[in-house]
Amino acid sequence: MLKSTFTPIFSSFPSKTTTLQKFPSYSVISNSFTQSAPPIHQNSSVSAPTVTIIPPLQHHPPTSAYVHLPFCRKRCHYCDFPIVALGSANPTDDDPRISNYVELLRREIVSTIPEFNIHPPLETVFFGGGTPSLVSPRLVSSILDTLRGKFGFLEDSEISMEMDPGTFDSNKMKDLMRLGVNRVSLGVQAFQEELLKAGGRAHGVKEVYEALEIMRSCGVENWSMDLISSLPHQTPQMWEESLRLTIQAQPKHVSVYDLQVEQGTKFGILYTPGEFPLPSETQSADFYRMASQMLSDAGYSHYEISSYCKDGFECKHNFTYWKNKPFYGFGLGSASYVNGVRFSRPRKMREYMDYVHNLENGAVDCYGNNHLDAKDLAMDILMLSLRTARGLDLRSFTDVFGGSLFYSLCKVYKPYIESGHVVCLDEERRAMTADEFNNLFTHEDEISSRLAYIRLSDPDGFLLSNELISLAFGVIAP
């Protein structure tokens, strides 16, 4: 999947974010819009004004936790996550590879020393992987009990789990629901047998429909379907079919990811990005537009650059990331963001075992020299905000990071506001026309009082997101 070219934030997300990128690649962007907006090399020569960054406000205790369960039946051809491949058969309930890891994970949770005197209960927990649905409900229960004993849970906390077709039946689904799992992210990826096989998926189309029936019969209301675009040999007709069948299945949430070929994966050996049999960059951009159009027409809100939902079914856990709020991470390769510090666990099992042992003995300094400076934090907030339909709250941003940044961002985005890739909103979230913006732009005091938000347009602004974010980075850290 697509990996960010901006390291300040994505190197710190839970493991899946390193490869499942949620916006289009820069190469897609630069080739798709050179006629409609000035390319980045034209703007980079403009001298960036000096910006004074004010230190950020004090951070708050985390209320979210990511838990990495790394087990899969096999490694998919595009996957570079930290996983443990178990073999083609689903594991038994007492598989020592899983039970030993879960015990290690629980030890890590217990030994984690929060940075705050007050520990609010967890509002969200996300089990990612890997394929968490390979883990037995009994072991999932033990993890939840450990989290509950350490931090507590809010009464209506969101507990999400990634699940793959063919790895659960109705009994397991009901058991997980009884434990409190109330949101499911179903990794379908495609509805074409040839694409699933080409991607090295452990399930086929038959298992997809079986999983959909299990979800329906068990009464799972809050569930998401994951899809991948730009797979080898994928055609527009295939992508349209996958989107149509997704809409027919009526999930409350849909996540659409675009493929990035990673070094060290099977796809990395077989394929070169931008060359056949991978879809062209123009086709990948068209896939993105098709998803936006079809899902929006079906009543899904495009609330984040690759996330769509029915009203009220946004992923609460992911909003922790989009709002740059702190979170705990537990397990192999996972990451935490606590008190302004980002910290990742080892990606190899032996090293992770040593890490937990050292943590128990007080020999781990998770927060030593990893503090983000104010400019890094400003870039994180800007990047994450522009990934969402809500956009960047300019007034809150200015309150924290200084008034000189407001006008500088408006100046660098002016051509893209005129081209429609960036949208300006007033305090009532009414979209301004380009003419209204230009009239305000000549009066710095007036624009700061009238302009409240900026966001990227859907879909063309989202497609141009890497370039637009890069321009803003140039303003923050010239």
Side-chain angles (χ1 to χ4, degrees):
M1 308 309 296
L2 290 174
K3 182 177 289 185
S4 171
T5 55
F6 305 114
T7 56
I9 186 66
F10 285 105
S11 60
S12 63
F13 266 36
S15 60
K16 276 220 165 171
T17 325
T18 60
T19 304
L20 289 182
Q21 163 78 353
K22 299 192 175 180
F23 56 90
S25 68
Y26 178 79
S27 56
V28 171
I29 293 162
S30 60
N31 287 343
S32 300
F33 293 102
T34 53
Q35 300 303 315
S36 57
I40 190 167
H41 61 79
Q42 291 183 12
N43 288 279
S44 60
S45 61
V46 178
S47 58
T50 301
V51 175
T52 301
I53 301 292
I54 299 173
L57 300 176
Q58 185 176 0
H59 293 268
H60 301 287
T63 57
S64 294
Y66 173 84
V67 180
H68 191 63
L69 299 178
F71 306 101
C72 288
R73 288 187 291 182
K74 58 185 291 191
R75 181 180 287 276
C76 297
H77 297 341
Y78 50 80
C79 173
D80 72 343
F81 311 149
I83 70 160
V84 177
L86 300 175
S88 57
N90 287 340
T92 61
D93 187 53
D94 57 353
D95 189 313
R97 293 170 295 182
I98 299 180
S99 58
N100 290 343
Y101 173 82
V102 168
E103 180 58 28
L104 193 66
L105 179 67
R106 294 178 62 222
R107 287 166 51 195
E108 182 196 354
I109 295 170
V110 170
S111 300
T112 295
I113 302 175
E115 289 287 291
F116 301 89
N117 294 326
I118 299 175
H119 313 303
L122 295 177
E123 299 176 8
T124 72
V125 176
F126 194 100
F127 289 99
T131 308
S133 49
L134 287 172
V135 177
S136 71
R138 176 180 63 83
L139 293 176
V140 172
S141 177
S142 71
I143 298 170
L144 289 171
D145 286 345
T146 304
L147 289 170
R148 186 178 292 106
K150 183 72 175 183
F151 304 107
F153 286 150
L154 203 65
E155 184 176 353
D156 60 346
S157 58
E158 177 191 86
I159 301 178
S160 302
M161 176 173 284
E162 292 180 340
M163 305 179 74
D164 280 359
T167 63
F168 63 98
D169 56 18
S170 59
N171 289 332
K172 177 180 277 191
M173 186 71 255
K174 290 176 182 177
D175 286 344
L176 291 171
M177 293 171 69
R178 280 191 285 266
L179 294 176
V181 175
N182 52 23
R183 185 179 184 278
V184 171
S185 180
L186 188 65
V188 170
Q189 316 309 2
F191 279 86
Q192 296 77 33
E193 200 73 47
E194 59 269 41
L195 293 186
L196 294 174
K197 289 181 179 178
R201 296 293 291 175
H203 71 266
V205 174
K206 176 176 177 289
E207 287 78 17
V208 169
Y209 285 107
E210 289 174 349
L212 294 177
E213 176 56 27
I214 292 169
M215 304 283 282
R216 186 200 63 78
S217 65
C218 291
V220 181
E221 182 182 17
N222 189 1
W223 66 282
S224 176
M225 188 180 294
D226 293 350
L227 297 176
I228 300 179
S229 65
S230 302
L231 288 164
H233 299 289
Q234 190 174 36
T235 66
Q237 292 75 25
M238 291 176 175
W239 183 234
E240 188 276 337
E241 180 183 47
S242 288
L243 290 168
R244 176 170 48 81
L245 293 172
T246 294
I247 292 168
Q248 289 179 9
Q250 298 183 327
K252 297 297 187 182
H253 189 283
V254 181
S255 292
V256 175
Y257 304 108
D258 197 28
L259 179 72
Q260 174 166 320
V261 177
E262 301 287 351
Q263 292 183 357
T265 66
K266 187 169 183 178
F267 277 180
I269 297 171
L270 293 175
Y271 305 128
T272 300
E275 295 183 4
F276 184 81
L278 298 178
S280 69
E281 294 167 345
T282 299
Q283 283 178 310
S284 294
D286 288 342
F287 287 164
Y288 187 80
R289 293 190 183 95
M290 186 187 298
S292 178
Q293 184 67 55
M294 289 184 64
L295 292 169
S296 296
D297 288 347
Y300 291 88
S301 172
H302 194 177
Y303 74 97
E304 189 270 333
I305 208 160
S306 70
S307 302
Y308 304 77
C309 72
K310 295 291 187 177
D311 186 38
F313 286 91
E314 297 88 351
C315 179
K316 295 178 182 178
H317 183 84
N318 282 346
F319 265 125
T320 298
Y321 308 140
W322 310 148
K323 294 181 179 180
N324 205 40
K325 294 172 64 178
F327 56 88
Y328 295 111
F330 300 107
L332 187 72
S334 65
S336 295
Y337 175 40
V338 181
N339 203 20
V341 176
R342 305 191 185 278
F343 178 76
S344 296
R345 281 92 183 137
R347 289 172 57 92
K348 294 183 178 180
M349 189 63 74
R350 180 70 258 177
E351 294 173 0
Y352 173 63
M353 293 172 64
D354 291 341
Y355 161 78
V356 173
H357 176 75
N358 290 333
L359 182 67
E360 291 174 321
N361 292 329
V364 173
D365 181 9
C366 300
Y367 312 109
N369 298 312
N370 294 316
H371 282 278
L372 292 174
D373 65 24
K375 288 185 178 181
D376 287 337
L377 183 61
M379 289 189 286
D380 281 359
I381 291 173
L382 184 143
M383 181 180 184
L384 291 164
S385 297
L386 291 183
R387 292 172 59 93
T388 68
R390 178 173 176 80
L392 177 67
D393 184 333
L394 286 169
R395 294 176 181 177
S396 296
F397 191 72
T398 300
D399 288 344
V400 175
F401 297 108
S404 59
L405 199 52
F406 186 108
Y407 193 77
S408 301
L409 287 173
C410 291
K411 183 175 182 180
V412 78
Y413 279 153
K414 186 174 183 291
Y416 299 90
I417 294 168
E418 294 171 348
S419 68
H421 293 91
V422 177
V423 180
C424 297
L425 306 170
D426 63 19
E427 59 186 7
E428 296 179 352
R429 298 198 62 80
R430 182 188 66 86
M432 296 181 179
T433 66
D435 288 341
E436 285 180 291
F437 170 81
N438 286 330
N439 288 335
L440 290 175
F441 187 73
T442 56
H443 305 284
E444 187 171 346
D445 56 341
E446 190 172 352
I447 194 171
S448 62
S449 65
R450 291 278 307 279
L451 183 58
Y453 303 90
I454 55 171
R455 63 174 176 84
L456 306 187
S457 62
D458 178 15
D460 287 351
F462 280 152
L463 276 167
L464 202 60
S465 58
N466 281 25
E467 181 170 339
L468 294 171
I469 292 167
S470 180
L471 286 170
F473 282 11
V475 171
I476 295 171

